[in-house]
Amino acid sequence: MIRERRSKEKLQAYYTKYIADGVLDPNVHPWVAESWQVSHEAGIASEVMPALYRLSKAELNDRRERHKTAIAYLDGLYREIDEHFNLYNLSLLMLDSECHVLKNYALPFFQKMAGEVEGARLAETDIGTSSIAIVARHKTPFLLFGPEMWIKECQSGDACSAPVFFNGELQYILTLVSVQQQELPYSSIAALLLSITHALESYLLLQARLDAKQAILDAVPHAVYHILPGGEVAYTNKLGQSRLSGIASYSKGDKYPNLSDVVLNYRHTPLYKGFLGIPSYNKEVTWITSQKTYEDITTVVPLYRDHEVGGIVAISQPIEDLRTLVAHAVGYTARYSMGSMVGQDASFASMKDKAARAAKSGNHTLLQGEPGTGKQRLAHGIHQASNRAAGPLISVRCGDMPAELLEGELFGNIFGEESRPGKLELANGGTLFLDEVEKIPYHLQVRLAAALSSGKTYRVGEEVLRSFDARIIAACDSDVKRLTEKGVFSSQLHDIISKVVLRMPSLRSRREDIPLLAEHIISELAEQHNLAKKVLTEDAAELLMSYEWPGNIKQLQGVVEQAFFNTSGEKITADDIVLPGESAPGKAWKEDKDVFVEAWKAAGGNISRLANMLDVSRVTLYRYLKKYGLERD
């Protein structure tokens, strides 16, 4: 509330009458009268300024740090108008919502030095009636004349205070104190203070919006740049800063490197064309620098000023990040955790403990064991427990394709006019699981070893080297070390992938774990198909433990799954279980698809296991799988 000029002699008389007799003149402003009564009841001395409650130096610095945005703005604003303050003997105070003085600008406040005031609390309970106290109570601007102040030694000047709001809450109180050397219109004091208040509120709102936009820009998986003519970077987000730091050295606070200086093919990029007014959308771009070559998907939009391009906005996403995103979208993630590896056998527990340590180490790992022992599940668990869990998990079954196709699968190739990445590149930042690694042709083993040693690879039909960072988990059914000694497996590749070797025990060597495994399989089936969990009876468990399980856990999975779906009750008994030996297909599978399918299910869909059961080669089984239209596992 900005009031008109009042007779200070009358105001002084009202004050004296109240202090002496406790009588309130009806002409006293109601808010002032209310504050006088509060001050009197609180027993605040009215003669001189009492000892003030003060924040410690550390507390004051902490508050200033929290409010540094507003303080920095007022600092800059005051520097522009300080001559006006000196000319009219004005003092500006900035207080927080609890009436602590954060900053004192210009002349001393009530004849006190800045150091004496800053950090002090000037609430109504501390100094009695003041414009600060009235604004804190009523949340509106208020001009208080000197004689209305509670403390006499403060009555030599007038004070005008105004609240500063942010998000609907009182954040600060700004106070202008005038110890007049010459007449200054009160309207000028009010206008100056309200202008400062409005400017500060507008700035805080703008800064909050900018902070929110900055947080959004830093969170998006794109590098965002505002680039001026000539290649100068005016702005970039967090990812953009990271990319720039990778191609040029600069310190925090320095200007960003000029792109025309550090991007060697700058004139052949969409950036250069953008300044010619030519936009680009989602274009694959190669950035060549002296330190590294980047591949991005880039969009460039020209910014016009007075019908001329005054800058461009470039939005760029690293292709390796895009591949990781796509890998997650198509399911290239771990489906199993280490917790899904069930068993209490000593050898199994020791292997699992070693696997948990290997997961954290990040070393390439070799898994060895018979078919069906759970090597694939363990690979998923290691990836999920590693520091690469956020990255993709890519799997390649190396024995399922001829050499020329496998080379393109691993390293990438040219398809028509399109250059396609291989699984090594797709697994960047994550894990590449090579199942049946011993089936990789020798010449590809040598190439793979060279790629893993250098961290770089090239696609079939290209000579461009591309960096990648993938952890290898390799699995094999045979002893790779023995194959290396025979000269049929690359010693270089063996040395790389065998930093950690985990040997999966066969199911027959951990027979006591079979009931636990069967119960775990039942629980997983119930959860996956949203069905009630079934109980494995003791006689069923004993029957399962009596079998040799040449196909290991994968074979057990098939038998338990068949019993689970074919049992109508809540219990799975021995009568519900059909062991593989009890339904031997003989030679009928060659002519009867149903017989073959039953054998296929009993083997858990595993080629090696089915080949052992039927005593035929894998090649023969591939032929029958194709004949019967079944997918290989």
Side-chain angles (χ1 to χ4, degrees):
M1 180 179 292
I2 308 305
R3 305 152 68 197
E4 296 181 359
R5 186 180 298 277
R6 300 287 301 276
S7 168
K8 292 192 175 181
E9 290 76 10
K10 290 183 178 180
L11 293 177
Q12 189 66 58
Y14 301 153
Y15 172 82
T16 302
K17 185 177 182 180
Y18 181 75
I19 293 295
D21 304 326
V23 177
L24 277 171
D25 191 282
N27 291 308
V28 176
H29 190 284
W31 291 355
V32 175
E34 175 188 30
S35 183
W36 281 356
Q37 290 176 314
V38 170
S39 303
H40 174 71
E41 292 170 2
I44 300 172
S46 61
E47 293 294 328
V48 297
M49 181 79 74
L52 298 174
Y53 169 82
R54 310 181 58 81
L55 298 171
S56 69
K57 187 175 182 179
E59 290 172 330
L60 177 59
N61 290 336
D62 179 65
R63 294 208 180 201
R64 283 177 169 173
E65 179 63 24
R66 280 188 280 143
H67 300 291
K68 62 183 179 181
T69 300
I71 292 174
Y73 180 77
L74 276 186
D75 287 349
L77 184 62
Y78 174 71
R79 282 194 295 270
E80 298 297 323
I81 57 176
D82 60 344
E83 290 185 7
H84 183 80
F85 277 70
N86 292 330
L87 178 62
Y88 292 102
N89 203 16
L90 299 175
S91 175
L92 174 66
L93 292 181
M94 177 186 187
L95 302 94
D96 62 16
S97 59
E98 297 175 342
C99 299
H100 294 101
V101 180
L102 299 177
K103 202 74 182 285
N104 180 27
Y105 297 91
L107 295 177
F109 171 71
F110 296 141
Q111 309 306 315
K112 291 184 179 292
M113 300 300 293
E116 297 180 68
V117 177
E118 291 178 340
R121 188 177 63 197
L122 303 181
E124 191 172 51
T125 54
D126 297 297
I127 62 171
T129 304
S130 69
S131 62
I132 297 169
I134 292 175
V135 168
R137 181 186 295 272
H138 296 283
K139 308 297 189 298
T140 189
F142 193 82
L143 172 63
L144 190 73
F145 298 103
E148 296 174 313
M149 305 265 187
W150 182 253
I151 298 175
K152 288 182 179 180
E153 73 169 351
C154 298
Q155 293 179 350
S156 59
D158 303 321
C160 186
S161 294
V164 176
F165 290 97
F166 180 70
N167 288 337
E169 298 289 333
L170 177 67
Q171 294 293 316
Y172 307 105
I173 296 175
L174 299 184
T175 298
L176 267 179
V177 179
S178 172
V179 182
Q180 295 177 337
Q181 295 176 343
Q182 53 181 310
E183 282 295 311
L184 180 66
Y186 289 114
S187 58
S188 298
I189 295 177
L192 177 60
L193 181 62
L194 293 179
S195 297
I196 294 174
T197 301
H198 176 72
L200 179 56
E201 287 180 338
S202 300
Y203 177 78
L204 292 176
L205 180 60
L206 174 63
Q207 194 61 45
R209 290 174 176 173
L210 290 175
D211 289 344
K213 291 177 180 179
Q214 183 65 56
I216 294 171
L217 289 171
D218 284 343
V220 298
H222 299 81
V224 181
Y225 307 92
H226 175 205
I227 305 170
L228 302 178
E232 180 183 347
V233 179
Y235 165 83
T236 183
N237 65 344
K238 188 175 181 179
L239 180 57
Q241 293 172 12
S242 175
R243 297 299 293 274
L244 290 177
S245 65
I247 62 177
S249 298
Y250 67 93
S251 301
K252 188 176 181 180
D254 291 349
K255 285 187 176 181
Y256 299 117
N258 190 298
L259 296 185
S260 64
D261 296 332
V262 297
V263 178
L264 304 182
N265 62 331
Y266 179 78
R267 286 179 170 268
H268 301 283
T269 66
L271 301 183
Y272 188 77
K273 294 179 180 179
F275 287 110
L276 301 178
I278 304 172
S280 300
Y281 299 96
N282 297 323
K283 186 174 182 180
E284 185 171 345
V285 181
T286 300
W287 310 94
I288 302 174
T289 74
S290 59
Q291 300 185 27
K292 188 176 180 181
T293 297
Y294 295 92
E295 290 181 309
D296 290 353
I297 300 296
T298 301
T299 293
V300 174
V301 180
L303 300 175
Y304 287 91
R305 181 179 298 170
D306 297 330
H307 305 290
E308 293 185 0
V309 178
I312 59 173
V313 169
I315 303 172
S316 189
Q317 182 174 27
I319 287 182
E320 60 264 29
D321 291 352
L322 184 60
R323 287 176 186 148
T324 299
L325 184 65
V326 171
H328 281 286
V330 299
Y332 287 150
T333 55
R335 299 193 304 272
Y336 310 108
S337 67
M338 292 293 289
S340 70
M341 302 293 294
V342 177
Q344 297 177 350
D345 176 77
S347 63
F348 175 80
S350 176
M351 182 280 302
K352 186 177 177 181
D353 183 62
K354 185 177 180 181
R357 295 196 303 272
K360 299 301 182 184
S361 73
N363 291 326
H364 299 310
T365 301
L366 177 62
L367 311 180
Q368 294 191 153
E370 295 178 7
T373 49
K375 296 187 292 294
Q376 184 182 50
R377 183 176 288 244
L378 180 59
H380 280 241
I382 291 173
H383 172 78
Q384 195 271 342
S386 73
N387 294 330
R388 293 174 175 265
L393 172 62
I394 309 290
S395 298
V396 178
R397 191 181 291 276
C398 303
D400 282 0
M401 61 189 75
E404 60 273 14
L405 294 181
L406 181 59
E407 184 174 20
E409 184 79 359
L410 289 174
F411 302 103
N413 54 21
I414 302 296
F415 188 82
E417 296 183 355
E418 184 181 356
S419 179
R420 294 182 174 179
K423 295 297 177 64
L424 273 175
E425 291 182 62
L426 290 176
N428 189 65
T431 301
L432 179 61
F433 175 52
L434 300 176
D435 199 8
E436 297 181 322
V437 68
E438 74 274 21
K439 302 291 179 62
I440 299 177
Y442 191 87
H443 71 284
L444 294 185
Q445 295 176 19
V446 173
R447 180 176 175 185
L448 179 59
L452 294 173
S453 296
S454 64
K456 295 181 179 180
T457 183
Y458 58 90
R459 299 171 186 172
V460 178
E462 283 188 348
E463 296 182 356
V464 178
L465 281 175
R466 292 177 168 84
S467 298
F468 70 94
D469 173 27
R471 180 191 193 177
I472 301 298
I473 298 179
C476 64
D477 299 338
S478 52
D479 190 335
V480 175
K481 185 177 182 181
R482 187 167 297 175
L483 295 176
T484 302
E485 293 170 349
K486 290 181 178 180
V488 295
F489 194 87
S490 166
S491 59
Q492 293 91 343
L493 183 58
H494 176 262
D495 290 342
I496 291 171
I497 65 176
S498 62
K499 299 297 182 184
V500 178
V501 179
L502 298 172
R503 291 178 173 81
M504 304 289 292
S506 64
L507 186 55
R508 61 185 173 276
S509 69
R510 44 186 292 227
R511 202 175 297 271
E512 298 299 322
D513 283 342
I514 291 176
L516 290 174
L517 287 164
E519 290 170 0
H520 184 72
I521 292 169
I522 292 170
S523 296
E524 286 189 335
L525 290 171
E527 182 177 351
Q528 289 170 7
H529 298 279
N530 196 26
L531 295 172
K533 185 179 177 181
K534 298 182 180 182
V535 177
L536 190 70
T537 62
E538 187 175 343
D539 62 329
E542 290 178 355
L543 178 60
L544 293 176
M545 292 173 65
S546 69
Y547 189 65
E548 289 298 309
W549 300 109
N552 292 293
I553 299 173
K554 194 79 171 183
Q555 190 178 31
L556 175 66
Q557 171 91 26
V559 171
V560 173
E561 183 173 335
Q562 187 179 47
F564 179 84
F565 288 114
N566 292 334
T567 301
S568 57
E570 297 180 355
K571 295 182 179 181
I572 298 176
T573 68
D575 293 336
D576 299 317
I577 294 174
V578 180
L579 295 175
E582 298 175 356
S583 58
K587 300 296 182 181
W589 59 270
K590 293 185 177 181
E591 303 298 334
D592 191 328
K593 178 180 178 180
D594 291 338
V595 175
F596 184 87
V597 169
E598 286 301 315
W600 175 246
K601 289 181 178 179
N606 183 276
I607 288 289
S608 299
R609 192 176 310 126
L610 185 58
N612 291 333
M613 288 173 58
L614 302 180
D615 194 24
V616 295
S617 69
R618 291 163 57 97
V619 175
T620 299
L621 289 181
Y622 287 145
R623 196 165 64 245
Y624 278 90
L625 286 169
K626 183 177 181 180
K627 174 183 176 181
Y628 292 136
L630 299 174
E631 293 185 0
R632 288 174 287 173
D633 183 22

